[in-house]
Amino acid sequence: MTPDVRVAGVTALLATFDTLTDVVAFRAGLTAAALPGVTGVVSGARTLLLRFDPTATDAGRLRALLSDVEPVRPSDDRADRDPVVVPVTYDGADLDAVGALTGMTRGELVAWHTGQVWTSAFCGFAPGFSYLTGTAPSLDLPRRDTSRTAVPSGAVALAGEFSAVYPRTSPGGWQLIGRTEVPMWSLDRTPPALAPAGVRLRFVDAAARS
């Protein structure tokens, strides 16, 4: 992949990609490369914003180094082998509706959700809300026709190509398939977000662990 890289102010570059998959893979490659002078990376659905220390590098040098970054796919042997484990109770209000949309039984849906590694592609909507992409083929689920005014904290949900965990009670229109007690956002933790962009997760069936 060859991103379109442009200057974004005096201490940042903006790299634009064709797909979200490319963004995730390139960010993983950046982490592995540990480019000198880079002080922060912010992920978007099609972009990566790279902040740099102008006393350590400059836009021209950093742009040249980016051409040597080798993307890392989630299934690549170089990827982190110890994803964060999130136990889930699969009793969500939309579990049967999702089964009807996909033609899957409850058991098949749970097996699909737990049988893959998820990567936080980017964060948004609320502090700690991570848009997770999986290694298995996406179900590409539609959002609910009517959003809920209050989705409970810890609700595990699906929409489009993503899965997510609601970090706090908030409105939401995603399909709810379960719940977890693992906090996605905590000011007692550094960083507060459990799954900032680039972090890998694996959901496990809490009922199977008990």
Side-chain angles (χ1 to χ4, degrees), residues 7 13 20 34 40 44 54 105 112 126 140 142 146 152 159 166 174 177-178 194 208 210:
V7 173
L13 292 177
L20 178 58
T105 65
W112 171 84
D140 196 23
T146 303
Y166 280 79
W174 289 32
I177 62 171
L194 180 67
S210 60

Side-chain angles (χ1 to χ4, degrees), residues 84-146:
V84 175
V85 174
V86 178
V88 177
T89 300
Y90 287 94
D91 60 357
D94 300 318
L95 193 61
D96 290 334
V98 171
L101 286 169
T102 61
M104 302 169 74
T105 65
R106 282 195 173 206
E108 289 170 339
L109 183 57
V110 171
W112 171 84
H113 197 244
T114 59
Q116 57 184 304
V117 174
W118 297 84
T119 300
S120 175
F122 59 95
C123 300
F125 177 64
F129 192 100
S130 302
Y131 289 77
L132 307 171
T133 57
T135 50
S138 169
L139 299 181
D140 196 23
L141 286 170
R143 291 167 54 94
R144 286 171 47 85
D145 291 336
T146 303

Side-chain angles (χ1 to χ4, degrees), residues 31 36 57 77 82 134 142 149 152 194 200 210:
T31 301
T57 189
D77 287 341
D82 297 309
T149 57
L194 180 67
R200 301 167 72 238
S210 60

Side-chain angles (χ1 to χ4, degrees), residues 156-181:
V156 179
L158 300 170
E161 64 185 291
F162 302 107
S163 186
V165 180
Y166 280 79
R168 64 185 184 188
T169 300
S170 64
W174 289 32
Q175 308 279 359
L176 307 184
I177 62 171
R179 53 190 166 88
T180 183
E181 296 182 1

Side-chain angles (χ1 to χ4, degrees), residues 28 32 72-83 117 119 198 200:
V72 179
R73 303 290 175 178
S75 58
D76 195 299
D77 287 341
R78 293 173 297 159
D80 178 10
R81 292 182 178 275
D82 297 309
V117 174
T119 300
R200 301 167 72 238

